């Protein structure tokens, strides 16, 4: 395959489309509420239907409004239906029926999204590479190989201002240049798809909906850094991700987009899937590498960082799913296009999975700098039944609570850190006025206590003690001295633990103490201070 | 031109060799840094966190056993903040399992007890967990009392790296971690154990002990093993 062949494939694919396309979401959220039977029924009804020659049913990825699935869209006009049942199939094919009320696609939930990473989610069939290519897939890779040197690509990524989407926000270009700068002939690229935070589902959804975009980013990373092998580390409990990704890898090899002569340009790069055991700590990069090597997935002290000494001792680039998913667009549209989106220190867009006590749960992609209030109130409709929002939790067990009065804080790495939370990898949980913040802090501490690998003393024993203190305060048996102990342990565990799990485990506690001390005071033995 | 290999530890000027750790430099300079998981000659894992030191110009504390010395480094090992952190870490260990010294074979011969004394721990601020863990006396010569184990993994490493038997491992995670022999079989049924006794010698607490040892009766003879390890270090440098 040569670079020009991409256009041919796209043209053939577009020419073979029927005028009416019925797109059914087949991402996990919709599958869980019966999307597969809806799709089968649509297919079955269509076979006997007068419109069958002009209509086709396509399985696609996430259409974002996950809480209202199964979602079905009728194109080209884009009429979208929520909560579809198999019985709705005839009406959807006909494009009318009394029982159908289409979603308002101009509502802020859809209108205020800015699609870069999710541009093809809900549009392409993730199980057919031709569908992706027709929608512009692999054009970034083509441009990289035909127009730019590897050094230029690293420059692009640096200038774009992209920061890692796995949680820490480390400048991606810096990481790439460290690996590219090594003269070691043996280098690796890893995509971290472990995503273990409770409530987070954006990486999984990206991979289920548009696996080629992530793979394209990895191949470009291989070209830029000189790595020849790529691994995607996914959780065993998400078989749909593994299946779709494997299909995508097989098809990309067949089409010459992976292998030993990529796009006829002699580039060598291939991708393999590695399935993890499903421990949260395996998402930590050194634990992840140990797990791929076949060892126990426990963290190791850094430095050395993986960029210098990584997988099997070789320089290794490790990035998050969403980080790679930005790369193709950055190469295709240029770094200036990308850095024009967002804020001066946080460029581009960010994908969040919004869940909890909120009217519209689902996936949103917004420009960095968007205020939290706009996401949870304007786009997602606030708390159901007119309840008030108490706080928004970002960053899962490593993050913090943003209280309602601070919801005007923009999604920006520095702004979020300043109020004691983090942008995080993409989980956003809305809490309403009925939420007990001590119980929330206890929930996350319970998670960290369970997921601690046990290697280092402060995390292994400190999370157990902190959890016990939170339980006691929750039972209204705690004292002021217990709160002091909690604060002491938070300080020690944060500053002395070996890896990020322990270092960030106290965050939900310190953040809830900072913003919701009243919730603690009210429970202390003897009642709040008078 | 390479910068001169000199650094400062607690205001003492120290010269170092390429690749040396901060801990090794400190020891050579006579500066004491407490450790539990470290043992000369075994690989370092940075797990006990007692050897954390402050590095000027860095926001994070560094585990001195796994931090390479660098020219111009300025290290502080004994600030009030570090002293408090070490104290809390030791208290957390004391509260984790069962460390009632008065009934322990290692009473008077225990590194945890010594560190607690050194750090003036007269009470523990946290709830004693007292999990009811087992004692395995199936081995003809040695016993393991999990209630005294601090999960330093010295036994795991010495058995693997020096004896080459790899009898020990860690199973479980977090607070439910424990050391196991072979595939969690009783030690006495181990197919791999050579009964060399190295793990027993290196255990910092009373978790591993020779059978028949009475309270406070544990004596250690690490000289033999230290010799073996020094020999191995020599070989790995010159081999
Ligand atoms: C306990 C723990 C869990 C983590 N889990 C993930 C994860 O699931 N996905 C991820 O991309 N990064 C995770 N990270 C961060 C990774 O260590 C690493 O920083 C990241 O994959 C780098 O990619 P980025 O620069 O693109 O963000 C985790 C870190 C810690 C400490
Ligand atoms: S901080 Fe927790 S998860 Fe990380 S190495 Fe220490 S015990 Fe393991
Ligand atoms: S006695 Fe020797 S071989 Fe047996 S477990 Fe201990 S170190 Fe390993
Ligand atoms: S048995 Fe002894 S040497 Fe082994 S991990 Fe426990 S305390 Fe350390």
């Amino acid at each position: 395959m040569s670079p020009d062949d991409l256009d041919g494939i796209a043209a053939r694919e577009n020419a073979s489309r029927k005028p009416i396309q019925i797109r059914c979401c087949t991402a996990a959220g919709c599958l869980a509420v019966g999307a597969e039977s809806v799709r089968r029924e649509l297919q079955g009804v269509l076979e006997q239907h007068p419109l069958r020659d002009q209509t086709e049913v396509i399985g696609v990825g996430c259409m974002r409004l996950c809480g209202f699935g199964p979602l079905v869209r009728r194109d080209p006009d884009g009429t979208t239906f929520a909560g579809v049942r198999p019985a709705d199939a005839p009406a959807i094919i006909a494009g009318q029926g009394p029982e159908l009320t289409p979603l308002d696609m101009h509502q802020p939930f859809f209108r205020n999204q800015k699609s870069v990473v999710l541009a093809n989610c809900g549009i392409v069939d993730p199980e057919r590479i031709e569908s992706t290519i027709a929608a512009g897939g692999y054009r970034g890779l083509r441009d990289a190989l035909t127009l730019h040197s590897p050094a230029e690509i690293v420059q692009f990524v640096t200038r774009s201002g992209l920061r890692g989407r796995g949680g820490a926000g480390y400048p991606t270009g810096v990481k790439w240049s460290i690996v590219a700068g090594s003269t070691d002939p043996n280098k690796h690229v890893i995509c971290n798809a472990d995503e273990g935070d409770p409530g987070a589902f954006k990486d999984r959804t990206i991979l289920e909906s548009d696996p080629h975009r992530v793979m394209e980013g990895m191949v470009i990373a291989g070209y830029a850094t000189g790595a020849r092998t790529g691994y995607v580390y996914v959780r065993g409990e998400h078989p749909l991700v593994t299946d779709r990704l494997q299909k995508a890898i097989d098809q990309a090899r067949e089409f010459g987009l992976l292998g030993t002569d990529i796009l006829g340009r002699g580039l060598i790069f291939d991708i393999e899937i590695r399935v993890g055991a499903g421990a949260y700590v395996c998402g930590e990069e050194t634990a992840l590498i140990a797990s791929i090597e076949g060892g126990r997935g426990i963290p190791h002290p850094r430095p050395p960082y993986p960029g210098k000494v990584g997988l099997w001792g070789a320089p290794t680039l490790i990035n998050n799913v969403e980080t790679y998913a930005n790369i193709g667009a950055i190469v295709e549209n240029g770094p200036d296009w990308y850095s024009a989106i967002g804020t001066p220190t946080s460029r581009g867009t960010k994908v969040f999975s919004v869940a909890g006590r909120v009217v519209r749960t689902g996936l949103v992609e917004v420009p960095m700098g968007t205020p939290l209030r706009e996401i949870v109130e304007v786009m997602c409709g606030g708390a159901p039944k007119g309840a008030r929002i108490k706080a928004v939790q970002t960053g899962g067990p490593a993050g913090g609570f943003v209280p309602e009065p601070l919801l005007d804080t923009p999604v920006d790495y520095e702004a979020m850190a300043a109020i004691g939370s983090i942008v995080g990898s993409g989980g956003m949980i809305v809490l309403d006025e009925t939420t007990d913040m001590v119980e929330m802090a206890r929930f996350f501490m319970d998670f960290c206590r369970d997921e601690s690998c046990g290697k280092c003393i402060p995390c292994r024993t400190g999370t157990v003690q902190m959890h016990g203190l939170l339980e006691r305060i929750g039972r209204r048996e705690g004292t002021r001295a217990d709160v002091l102990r909690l604060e002491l342990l938070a300080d020690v565990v944060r500053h002395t633990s070996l890896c990020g799990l322990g270092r960030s485990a106290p965050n939900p506690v310190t953040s809830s103490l900072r913003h919701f001390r009243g919730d603690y005071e009210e429970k202390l033995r003897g009642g709040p201070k008078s | 031109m390479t910068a001169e290999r000199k650094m400062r530890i607690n205001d003492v000027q120290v010269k170092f060799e390429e690749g040396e750790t901060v801990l090794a430099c400190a020891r050579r300079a006579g500066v004491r840094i407490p450790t539990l998981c470290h043992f000369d000659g075994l690989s370092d894992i940075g797990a006990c966190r007692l050897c954390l030191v402050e590095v000027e110009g860095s926001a994070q504390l560094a585990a001195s056993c796994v931090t390479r010395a660098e020219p111009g480094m300025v290290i502080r090992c004994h600030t009030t903040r570090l002293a408090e952190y070490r104290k809390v870490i030791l208290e957390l260990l004391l509260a984790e399992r069962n460390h009632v010294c008065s009934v322990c074979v290692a009473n008077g011969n225990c590194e945890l007890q010594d560190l607690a004394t050194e750090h003036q721990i007269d009470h523990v601020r946290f709830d004693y967990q007292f999990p009811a863990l087992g004692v395995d006396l199936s081995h003809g010569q040695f016993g393991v009392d999990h209630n005294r184990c601090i999960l330093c993994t010295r036994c795991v490493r010495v058995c693997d790296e020096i004896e080459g038997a790899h009898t020990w491992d860690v199973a479980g995670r977090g607070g439910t971690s424990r050391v196991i022999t072979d595939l969690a079989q009783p030690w006495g049924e181990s197919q791999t154990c050579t009964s060399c006794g190295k793990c027993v010698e290196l255990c910092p607490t009373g978790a591993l002990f020779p059978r028949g040892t009475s309270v406070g009766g544990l004596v250690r003879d690490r000289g033999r093993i230290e010799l073996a390890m020094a020999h191995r270090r020599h070989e790995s440098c010159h081999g």
Side-chain angles (χ1 to χ4, degrees):
Chain A
M1 158 131 147
S2 80
D4 293 336
D5 292 343
L6 274 185
D7 292 333
I9 296 166
R12 270 197 304 284
E13 172 73 8
N14 286 327
S16 72
R17 285 272 76 87
K18 291 185 177 165
I20 300 168
Q21 298 128 29
I22 295 175
R23 291 188 155 81
C24 296
C25 175
T26 58
C30 280
L31 286 179
V33 288
E36 190 49 41
S37 55
V38 168
R39 174 159 75 155
R40 252 185 279 117
E41 188 66 14
L42 279 162
Q43 209 92 52
V45 171
L46 183 63
E47 274 163 30
Q48 317 292 329
H49 202 276
L51 282 173
R52 66 176 172 274
D53 293 333
Q54 302 152 52
T55 309
E56 61 186 345
V57 175
I58 307 173
V60 297
C62 180
M63 295 188 192
R64 320 227 180 152
L65 199 53
C66 307
F68 289 78
L71 298 170
V72 175
R73 188 173 66 243
R74 193 175 191 278
D75 283 326
D77 51 317
T79 319
T80 306
F81 306 100
V84 175
R85 293 156 301 140
D88 299 329
I92 288 177
I93 291 170
Q96 56 191 9
E99 65 276 33
L100 291 179
T101 16
L103 281 173
D104 171 14
M105 298 306 281
H106 296 289
Q107 61 173 301
F109 180 84
F110 295 108
R111 201 183 58 220
N112 295 5
Q113 302 222 13
K114 166 90 187 159
S115 298
V116 175
V117 168
L118 302 182
N120 288 345
C121 282
I123 293 173
V124 300
D125 178 349
E127 306 201 354
R128 289 185 59 248
I129 192 171
E130 298 92 333
S131 172
T132 303
I133 293 173
Y138 291 103
R139 274 200 293 218
L141 174 64
R142 178 185 63 187
D143 290 356
L145 296 192
T146 55
L147 304 174
H148 308 291
S149 68
E152 275 167 3
I153 298 297
V154 175
Q155 269 293 312
F156 267 35
V157 175
T158 306
R159 272 174 46 210
S160 74
L162 176 64
R163 293 169 67 171
R165 301 298 194 233
Y170 189 79
T172 307
V174 176
K175 233 186 225 186
W176 285 39
S177 59
I178 290 169
V179 180
S182 157
T183 52
D184 195 325
N186 201 11
K187 302 178 190 176
H188 308 286
V189 164
I190 296 176
C191 172
N192 188 342
D194 197 53
E195 196 175 38
D197 320 23
F201 52 87
K202 59 108 187 163
D203 289 337
R204 171 173 55 138
T205 311
I206 293 168
L207 282 171
E208 280 168 7
S209 306
D210 193 6
H212 289 288
R213 180 179 298 270
V214 180
M215 289 158 51
E216 180 183 4
M218 292 177 71
V219 182
I220 296 173
Y223 174 66
T225 61
R228 290 179 167 192
T229 43
Y231 298 89
V232 185
Y233 188 87
V234 299
R235 299 198 145 217
E237 68 233 46
H238 300 325
L240 186 64
V241 172
T242 324
D243 286 359
R244 288 223 170 120
L245 193 57
Q246 191 56 55
K247 265 188 200 152
I249 291 171
D250 293 343
Q251 292 175 8
R253 283 184 188 144
E254 197 183 309
F255 277 66
L257 291 160
L258 287 176
T260 51
D261 185 20
I262 294 175
L263 281 175
R265 289 273 160 161
L267 178 70
I268 302 174
F269 191 80
D270 210 344
I271 298 178
E272 279 178 37
I273 301 176
R274 287 297 145 99
V275 179
Y280 176 61
V281 77
C282 285
E284 194 279 336
E285 55 192 26
T286 62
L288 189 153
I289 287 170
S291 170
I292 294 184
E293 288 170 350
R296 255 187 112 207
I298 52 172
H300 296 276
R302 300 177 308 179
Y305 288 88
K308 293 239 163 78
V309 184
L311 189 58
W312 295 301
T316 301
L317 177 72
I318 173 160
N319 277 127
N320 171 258
V321 169
E322 186 184 347
T323 311
Y324 287 118
N326 276 296
I327 299 296
I330 289 173
V331 173
E332 192 185 349
N333 303 310
D336 300 332
W337 164 81
Y338 193 80
S339 65
I341 310 168
T343 68
T345 55
S346 307
R347 309 284 185 178
T349 62
K350 182 77 195 83
V351 180
F352 289 102
S353 48
V354 186
R357 303 289 295 155
V358 63
V359 173
R360 285 180 281 279
T361 59
L363 218 58
V364 300
E365 181 174 11
V366 290
M368 283 280 188
T370 304
L372 287 170
R373 191 182 301 285
E374 171 152 341
I375 299 172
V376 299
E377 287 184 355
V378 179
M379 297 174 71
C380 296
K385 302 200 187 89
R388 282 184 40 244
I389 291 179
K390 183 167 184 174
V392 171
Q393 210 281 341
T394 56
F401 304 96
V402 181
E404 194 278 338
L406 292 181
L407 286 185
D408 296 310
T409 308
V411 171
D412 170 283
Y413 291 104
E414 280 67 33
M416 294 290 283
I419 57 165
S421 193
I422 56 171
V423 171
S425 72
M428 192 178 279
I429 304 171
V430 182
L431 309 170
D432 73 11
E433 56 196 341
T434 64
T435 313
D436 172 357
M437 301 310 277
V438 177
E439 169 55 20
M440 285 308 296
R442 189 206 61 78
F443 168 81
F444 284 114
M445 190 53 68
D446 187 34
F447 180 85
C448 291
R449 174 186 72 147
D450 265 2
E451 296 292 334
S452 163
C453 81
K455 179 173 180 173
C456 72
I457 302 167
C459 169
R460 182 182 76 230
T461 63
T463 53
V464 169
Q465 293 288 349
M466 290 180 82
H467 181 261
L469 289 165
L470 289 163
E471 256 185 348
R472 185 184 307 160
I473 295 169
R475 284 197 311 267
R476 299 186 171 272
E477 290 165 14
T479 61
R480 220 157 284 286
D482 289 327
V483 176
L484 289 176
R485 266 192 276 272
L486 208 48
E487 287 174 320
L488 171 68
L489 286 172
D491 178 44
V492 175
V493 174
R494 161 167 305 134
H495 291 108
T496 65
S497 290
L498 191 158
C499 87
L501 193 153
R503 287 183 195 172
S504 58
N507 287 354
V509 172
T510 46
S511 156
S512 56
L513 274 167
R514 172 168 169 183
H515 298 296
F516 299 98
R517 211 174 180 93
D519 282 31
Y520 287 79
E521 297 270 339
E522 177 265 325
K523 288 189 167 60
L524 295 183
R525 220 160 56 201
K529 221 181 340 208
S530 49
Chain B
M1 196 194 85
T2 49
E4 222 189 334
R5 295 204 187 99
K6 273 191 194 159
M7 63 183 311
R8 297 188 80 79
I9 301 181
N10 282 3
D11 292 323
V12 183
Q13 179 89 240
V14 187
K15 284 193 183 161
F16 62 87
E17 307 269 305
E18 178 76 46
E20 251 190 312
T21 65
V22 170
L23 178 66
C25 297
R27 296 226 161 139
R28 199 154 28 70
V31 176
R32 170 158 167 78
I33 299 178
T35 54
L36 265 178
C37 63
H38 169 84
F39 198 90
D40 276 343
L42 297 182
S43 61
D44 275 310
I45 54 171
C48 75
R49 316 307 284 169
L50 288 174
C51 76
L52 288 177
V53 294
E54 293 179 5
V55 184
E56 198 170 278
S58 161
Q60 283 189 2
L61 302 174
S64 56
C65 68
V66 289
T67 303
R68 305 262 161 240
E70 279 168 35
M73 245 183 182
V74 177
I75 302 285
R76 265 178 290 276
C77 315
H78 296 118
T79 62
T80 42
R81 177 176 179 228
L82 288 172
E84 175 68 355
Y85 285 175
R86 289 180 185 138
K87 204 168 170 178
V88 170
I89 290 171
L90 289 166
E91 286 178 45
L92 284 168
L93 263 189
L94 291 169
E96 184 179 30
R97 291 190 177 177
N98 189 331
H99 296 284
V100 183
C101 304
S102 56
V103 296
C104 179
V105 290
N107 192 9
N109 201 345
C110 169
E111 292 179 44
L112 178 59
Q113 193 180 33
D114 293 346
L115 284 166
T117 312
E118 179 187 337
H119 289 83
Q120 297 166 344
I121 295 175
D122 43 21
H123 73 290
V124 168
R125 284 166 280 183
F126 311 111
D127 289 345
Y128 286 97
Q129 303 292 307
F130 290 137
L133 300 175
V135 179
D136 177 1
L137 293 174
S138 60
H139 193 286
Q141 286 163 259
F142 314 119
V144 49
D145 180 354
H146 293 284
N147 299 289
R148 312 274 195 239
C149 172
I150 58 169
L151 296 167
C152 68
T153 73
R154 279 191 199 173
C155 55
V156 179
R157 285 172 288 148
V158 75
C159 184
D160 178 42
E161 297 169 14
I162 307 295
E163 179 62 9
H166 199 125
T167 301
W168 291 104
D169 220 325
V170 180
R173 67 182 186 208
T176 62
S177 304
R178 59 189 191 91
V179 289
I180 54 166
T181 38
D182 285 358
L183 299 166
Q185 289 126 322
W187 194 356
E189 290 167 25
S190 166
Q191 302 289 309
T192 55
C193 176
T194 62
S195 303
C196 70
K198 292 189 172 69
C199 54
V200 180
E201 288 297 341
L202 258 54
C203 180
T205 69
L208 301 183
F209 51 89
R211 294 280 305 271
T213 316
S214 54
V215 168
L218 189 66
V219 277
R220 301 197 200 269
D221 174 21
R222 286 186 181 152
R224 197 167 55 99
I225 296 179
E226 276 159 9
L227 260 172
M229 290 195 210
H231 180 66
R232 171 173 168 269
R233 276 203 301 286
H234 183 79
E235 280 188 332
S236 67
C237 293
H238 302 273

